[in-house]
């Protein structure tokens, strides 16, 4: 399925044999993240939840939007290189205060059933759509997870595709779109250390609460990192993992990326080489666009004072990221190119979810608690997971990873879809393309699963010659250890 002419991949796999795989971290599935006094109550009910935009909240928001100070004009001849162009802000504030149809939008937001349930001390919010199916059709659960600065609303346009019955399939998907803890209407932790690994446990427990001991997953952005952790910790529960932002941080892949700067053909297919190289382009993009990341990974609460208090500040901060995440070159546009891909309503709905739930501060902390020495010391990206994975790589996603490199983490990588368009906010930009890719992945995960049931007792699920070789090398490693 994948070409195997990347000889560097063999060297890296060989080197990996000499690097100790870190142990699986100890997982406490009952770790308490909420206020301590709630621990004696332990409410396990699942409560229906409805989003409200009430009159006092709207009045207060409008007041703030109408009373911003004069914006400092942008520098002459600039687009959004210095940050979101200030000339553009007033028209957005006017739209948000005067034209945004609050009541229509809240009806739209509530069109799918939403719930909250308390997991490990935190109220977790989610949408759950259970399709009605004819007899003989199996319903399979799929947990989908957004990232920052997005929300569960990103997945609304996917839900009809995912939950529809097709004559070509013997299954239909039940969608659970959760809000990451700390985001939207999900509570954030009340003490430090609640990183993506801990979120993976909470969301896995959510699936158990809903009666799903085994399920499929899809993740974007942070949601993808959480799901990767979930697949690492619970390989017998995650039946398949689909990611639109496959990333791994490990010394071996970093080494390979650097070697590829000199010899790209050793690392990546020529057709997509320009997504990785020259490395200097990639690194300068990362430095230019990740200021927010560094800020939130170190002092999230300081900037969150401004974002929580000023809707104008929140809008500019989010729009700048959505703009360059969509197309890096939109930094040169004053309007950030936003309306080329999204409707005004969509963009403001996303802001409203953060504003109405007052969650921008708790959401921002995901960076600090996941980009931490504690989390990095676990080295979860260096622990291979046996869960079958499928990756979708959009052209303008932040980074590209060659399949062989991703196999260091997910040896059972089933397929890679390469798009020649699309950016980081793919669920909003190309919902049908994404949903159909997820369905194809689930079809394949199920096929392999049924095949696997017939052939018990194989530890290495072989998908390509390359993985064959990995299995063989692992075998030699064991022999080697036995001899010493
Ligand atoms: C209105 O909504 C806000 C936030 O969404 C909430 O804090 C407030 O308590 C609500 N007020 C009423 C009267 O329901
Ligand atoms: C893998 O992905 C490619 C490109 O999207 C597609 O043509 C192919 O059918 C997929 N393979 C499987 C087994 O689904």
């Amino acid at each position: 399925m994948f070409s195997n002419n990347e000889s560097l991949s063999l060297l890296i796999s060989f080197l990996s044999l000499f690097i100790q795989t870190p142990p699986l971290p100890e997982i406490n599935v009952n770790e308490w993240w909420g206020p301590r006094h709630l621990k004696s109550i332990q409410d396990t009910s699942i409560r229906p939840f409805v989003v409200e935009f009430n009159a006092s909240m709207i009045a207060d928001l409008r007041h703030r939007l109408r009373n911003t100070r004069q914006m400092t004009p942008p520098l002459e001849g600039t687009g959004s290189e210095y940050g979101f162009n200030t000339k553009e802000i007033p028209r957005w504030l006017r739209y948000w205060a005067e034209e945004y149809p609050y009541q229509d939008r809240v009806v739209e937001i509530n069109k799918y059933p939403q719930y909250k349930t308390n997991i490990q001390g935190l109220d977790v919010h989610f949408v759950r759509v259970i399709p009605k199916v004819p007899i003989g059709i199996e319903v399979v659960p799929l947990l989908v997870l957004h990232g920052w600065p997005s929300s569960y609303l990103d997945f609304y346009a996917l839900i009809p595709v995912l939950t529809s019955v097709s004559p070509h399939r013997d299954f239909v998907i039940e969608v659970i779109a959760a809000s990451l803890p700390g985001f939207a209407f999900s509570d954030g932790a009340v003490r430090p250390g609640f990183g993506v690994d801990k979120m993976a446990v909470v969301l896995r427990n959510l699936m158990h609460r809903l009666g799903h001991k085994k399920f499929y997953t899809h993740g974007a952005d942070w949601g993808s990192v959480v799901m990767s952790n979930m697949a690492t910790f619970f390989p017998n529960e995650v039946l398949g993992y689909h990611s639109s932002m496959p990333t791994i941080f490990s010394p071996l892949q970093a080494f390979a990326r650097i070697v590829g700067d000199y010899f790209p053909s050793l690392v990546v297919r020529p057709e997509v080489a320009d997504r990785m190289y020259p490395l200097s382009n990639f690194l300068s993009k990362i430095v230019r666009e990740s200021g927010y990341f560094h800020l939130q990974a170190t002092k999230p609460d300081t900037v969150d004072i401004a974002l929580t208090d000023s809707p104008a500040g929140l809008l500019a901060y989010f729009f700048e990221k959505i703009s360059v995440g969509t197309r890096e070159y939109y930094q040169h546009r004053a309007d950030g190119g936003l309306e080329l891909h999204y409707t005004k309503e969509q963009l403001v709905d996303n802001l409203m979810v953060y504003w109405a739930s007052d969650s921008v501060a708790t959401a921002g902390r995901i960076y600090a608690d996941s980009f931490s020495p504690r989390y990095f010391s676990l080295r979860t990206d260096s622990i291979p997971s046996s869960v079958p994975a499928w990756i979708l790589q959009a052209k303008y996603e932040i980074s590209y990873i060659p399949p062989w490199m991703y196999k260091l983490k997910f040896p059972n990588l089933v397929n890679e879809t390469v798009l020649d368009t699309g950016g980081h906010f793919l669920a909003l930009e190309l919902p049908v393309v994404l949903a159909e890719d997820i369905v194809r992945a689930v079809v394949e995960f199920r096929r392999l699963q049924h095949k696997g049931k017939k052939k018990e007792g194989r530890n290495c699920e072989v998908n390509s010659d390359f993985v064959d070789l990995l299995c063989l090398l692992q075998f030699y490693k064991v022999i080697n250890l036995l001899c010493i």
Side-chain angles (χ1 to χ4, degrees), residues 5-82:
N5 58 356
E6 299 106 346
S7 32
L8 185 67
S9 69
L10 299 181
L11 172 64
I12 297 290
S13 326
F14 184 69
L15 288 177
S16 76
L17 302 180
F18 300 97
I19 295 185
Q20 284 250 288
T21 303
L24 261 186
E26 270 180 41
I27 294 154
N28 174 2
V29 295
N30 298 312
E31 195 166 8
W32 195 258
W33 290 104
R36 292 194 202 282
H37 68 267
L38 287 180
K39 208 165 173 179
S40 54
I41 303 172
Q42 301 262 7
D43 176 5
T44 58
S45 64
I46 298 170
R47 291 157 279 141
F49 175 79
V50 174
V51 177
E52 281 173 27
F53 294 162
N54 64 40
S56 57
M57 187 266 281
I58 295 174
D60 169 75
L61 173 59
R62 284 192 163 135
H63 179 78
R64 290 168 197 263
L65 290 166
R66 289 168 182 157
N67 291 281
T68 52
R69 294 174 67 185
Q70 193 81 46
M71 308 280 155
T72 306
L75 292 172
E76 281 176 13
T78 60
S80 296
E81 296 90 345
Y82 281 74

Side-chain angles (χ1 to χ4, degrees), residues 162-223:
L162 294 173
T163 57
S164 66
V165 179
S166 157
H168 308 295
R169 299 194 293 274
D170 59 354
F171 70 92
V172 65
I173 293 174
E174 168 185 336
V175 177
I176 293 106
S179 292
L180 283 167
F183 287 67
F185 305 98
S186 286
D187 291 346
V190 300
R191 60 190 67 85
F194 190 63
V196 277
D197 55 322
K198 307 292 186 180
M199 292 190 185
V201 175
V202 168
L203 292 161
R204 171 268 189 186
N205 287 344
L206 168 68
M207 293 305 275
H208 278 229
R209 175 77 46 85
L210 302 182
H212 298 314
K213 297 262 159 42
K214 290 177 189 271
F215 48 90
Y216 299 94
T217 61
H218 161 77
D221 192 78
W222 279 117

Side-chain angles (χ1 to χ4, degrees), residues 155-330:
F155 295 111
Y156 270 33
L158 279 70
I159 289 176
V161 180
L162 294 173
T163 57
S164 66
V165 179
S166 157
H168 308 295
R169 299 194 293 274
D170 59 354
F171 70 92
V172 65
I173 293 174
E174 168 185 336
V175 177
I176 293 106
S179 292
L180 283 167
F183 287 67
F185 305 98
S186 286
D187 291 346
V190 300
R191 60 190 67 85
F194 190 63
V196 277
D197 55 322
K198 307 292 186 180
M199 292 190 185
V201 175
V202 168
L203 292 161
R204 171 268 189 186
N205 287 344
L206 168 68
M207 293 305 275
H208 278 229
R209 175 77 46 85
L210 302 182
H212 298 314
K213 297 262 159 42
K214 290 177 189 271
F215 48 90
Y216 299 94
T217 61
H218 161 77
D221 192 78
W222 279 117
S224 167
V225 184
V226 170
M227 295 302 202
S228 172
N229 276 276
M230 202 187 287
T232 308
F233 303 155
F234 306 104
N236 299 322
E237 300 181 19
V238 179
L239 296 171
Y241 164 53
H242 181 282
S243 173
S244 63
M245 197 191 77
T247 46
I248 47 172
F249 290 102
S250 75
L252 280 177
Q253 67 90 26
F255 170 71
R257 277 179 191 270
I258 293 166
V259 172
D261 202 25
Y262 301 94
F263 310 102
S265 62
L266 295 182
V267 173
V268 61
R269 287 188 292 124
E271 307 89 85
V272 283
D274 64 345
R275 298 187 187 191
M276 293 180 77
Y277 300 113
L279 205 53
S280 57
N281 283 3
F282 174 73
L283 293 177
S284 65
K285 173 177 87 177
I286 292 297
V287 169
R288 189 177 58 240
E289 300 304 338
S290 67
Y292 80 101
F293 195 113
H294 196 166
L295 190 62
Q296 287 168 212
T298 52
K299 311 286 176 186
D301 288 7
T302 308
V303 66
D304 284 331
I305 308 289
L307 302 181
T308 299
D309 209 51
S310 161
L314 181 69
L315 180 143
Y317 199 67
F318 277 22
F319 280 13
E320 180 217 292
K321 272 1 292 174
I322 294 171
S323 164
V324 292
T326 303
R327 301 287 184 271
E328 188 199 343
Y329 53 82
Y330 285 170

